[in-house]
Amino acid sequence: MTMAATTFASDPRSMLQSIHAGFSGVDTPAYRTAVGDLSFAKLHDASAALAERLMTMDAGQNRHPVLIWGHKDLPYMVAYWACLLAGMPLVPVEPETPVDRLCQIAEVCQADIILDATIDAPFIDILSVPGLPVLDIDVNAVPLASVTVPDFAADDVAYIMFSSGTLGQPKGIQVTYTNLADFVDWLPELLPETDHAGVTGNIRHCFDVSLFELWMSWTRRAPITALDHADFANSTGYIARLANDGVTLSVSTPSITRLLLKNKRYNGDVLPQMRAFVFCGEPLTKAIVAELFTRFPGCRVVNTYGPTECTVAVTSVDITAAHLTAEEDIPIGTPRHGVMVYTANDTSCGEMMIAGKCVAKGYFGLPEKQAHAFPFTQTYRSGDWAAVDAQGQWTFQGRMDREVKIQGVRIDLNDIEAHIRKQEGVEDVVVEPYMLRGEPRALNAFVIGDASDETLASLAQTLASELPPYLVPRFWYSGFVTVLNNNSKIDRSHLHDAVKTAAFKHVHTA
Amino acid sequence: MSTQIEAQVIVSIVELLEMEDSSAITLATKIEGDLGIDSGLLLELFMMLEENVANLEIDPAELRPEEFETVGSFAKMIATCVKGTVAA
């Protein structure tokens, strides 16, 4: 039975209202962690109760953004829905974020409340941030009345994702309710199977690829089986939970699946319910797809592509055996409904431009970056080089700048170098990805300046106190012979020798 | 027997980190502090060892990174995960 052909995007407020109402009284689990479950009924009640609380506060009246501090605990879902119901933009912040950066983020987006979505004792420092009250979340709370989502304008912001930027203020990407609803409208087309009974919880909520997991769960009322990233080494335990929970849909970056595939238990015999694998966030490799085809016969493997600035993903394609034998890389697919993709030079290969309702509102308080990245109405300049074939199928060719992805997280190497260069005693530095089996796995920093093991360790320490862990290089080298290139810059192609010849080395551990 | 495990651990680390040889690794080398093996790489190392060592079954849930600091103490932990006796 289908409803009239209205889209969520035409009325995001009623989307939120109707999906939330659908949770009421449903006692099946919505979110499952290693320590317990949260039912849809409880998610419904507790989020409505928290939204009531938020809406009576000044921040709620003013619809200021709310920081959600947490990783993968049950209160996270309550916090998420409370913000949606209260019409307050939510800002996911992982618990390992240094306090200085947390304050910067709060300042940039004018957030004045933190929701503590952890179940352990909160990271003590967040309690001492002046002007940022921390609210606890009661997952057993019930609302006084039924909650009404406030009216909002089409370009009101639903969530803000902060990405890489290490210099000056962090880059906050604002995504509107209309962008969000337009993405949710796409899901039944992308994943029309009606029998999805469980979804992975692979992705951190600060990374927008998690929206595939969240909204598939919420629109199908299927549980999410959440992966705690601190527990990553225990993939055997996670696979057992996926099997036990009957998960049918995997959403992941290629990096996460590559790790799971290291475990021989990750196969269709152990996980007979698995139906589909959706990828986003990094280039999907043929090796991963071939392994999935072998271990999970008959499952769909879907590749998608999209920058956070265009609301999760904008292209998709079902990968077939023919893609594996083709000369070209795995394609990223064709644009979803309502999205136009073209190259900046109007040829079949160039910088991808993305236009349509998917294009987000843009950056907080960064007018220059905004003007460059969003040159026309509803248009985003991706910085990604891509090619399109005669059938309209796109293939990603690489970044135009020095942005790399590690575990799906966008990292601008220039940005990190500039941050290290500011530190005392550093003359120059080159940051390069640490590659294993052709994949970036961490960062190497090659430092020129006052050299000793101690200065490297203290540089790493300083960076760790100022930046999120994924932006802090793991391997630090100094005291190596530098070779200059024709432009009198450090020749990066000779740096692999520095790993062997460096007099000083430090390994930074989080 | 335990020296065989130690050798397998070192061989597996060399493979894992794509090192040229094992000259930089001793039993005193720190798994995370010197080699930079994080939880993701540790998982890969477990799986590699399960492939390389007969009768080895590792339950990662029971092996916490904080319980072994060095290659030597790591190899000791791995030796406890070998089921039954290993033929010489």
Side-chain angles (χ1 to χ4, degrees), chain A residues 223-303:
Chain A
I224 285 173
T225 297
L227 167 67
D228 181 344
H229 284 226
D231 214 16
F232 223 118
N234 181 14
S235 63
T236 301
Y238 184 52
I239 292 165
R241 288 175 52 222
L242 294 176
N244 180 60
D245 298 351
V247 170
T248 56
L249 172 66
S250 156
V251 176
S252 138
T253 58
S255 290
I256 290 177
T257 295
R258 189 180 328 100
L259 276 176
L260 289 170
L261 284 168
K262 300 284 175 197
N263 194 320
K264 54 183 182 261
R265 299 159 190 93
Y266 197 61
N267 62 56
D269 290 333
V270 176
L271 300 167
Q273 289 98 331
M274 200 59 99
R275 294 280 170 278
F277 296 86
V278 173
F279 288 96
C280 196
E282 286 170 313
L284 178 60
T285 63
K286 291 181 182 177
I288 290 176
V289 178
E291 198 61 32
L292 285 175
F293 281 167
T294 309
R295 294 207 210 173
F296 294 89
C299 278
R300 282 180 74 198
V301 174
V302 181
N303 194 22

Side-chain angles (χ1 to χ4, degrees), chain A residues 229-236 258-260 262-265 407 434-438 441 474-475 500 505-510, chain B residues 15-18 20 32-44 46-48 50-51 56-61 64-65:
Chain A
H229 284 226
D231 214 16
F232 223 118
N234 181 14
S235 63
T236 301
R258 189 180 328 100
L259 276 176
L260 289 170
K262 300 284 175 197
N263 194 320
K264 54 183 182 261
R265 299 159 190 93
Q407 298 280 344
Y434 168 70
M435 307 287 288
L436 284 178
R437 288 166 280 285
R441 300 296 295 259
R474 188 180 304 167
F475 300 101
K500 285 176 236 159
K505 181 183 176 185
H506 171 71
V507 179
H508 173 69
T509 56
Chain B
E15 189 185 341
L16 175 76
L17 300 182
E18 297 183 327
E20 278 175 11
E32 195 182 6
D34 292 330
L35 298 171
I37 295 179
D38 63 351
S39 59
L41 286 170
L42 192 63
L43 173 66
E44 289 190 44
F46 288 158
M47 299 308 152
M48 244 173 213
E50 279 192 358
E51 297 284 313
L56 180 64
E57 250 182 59
I58 300 171
D59 181 358
R64 311 306 303 183

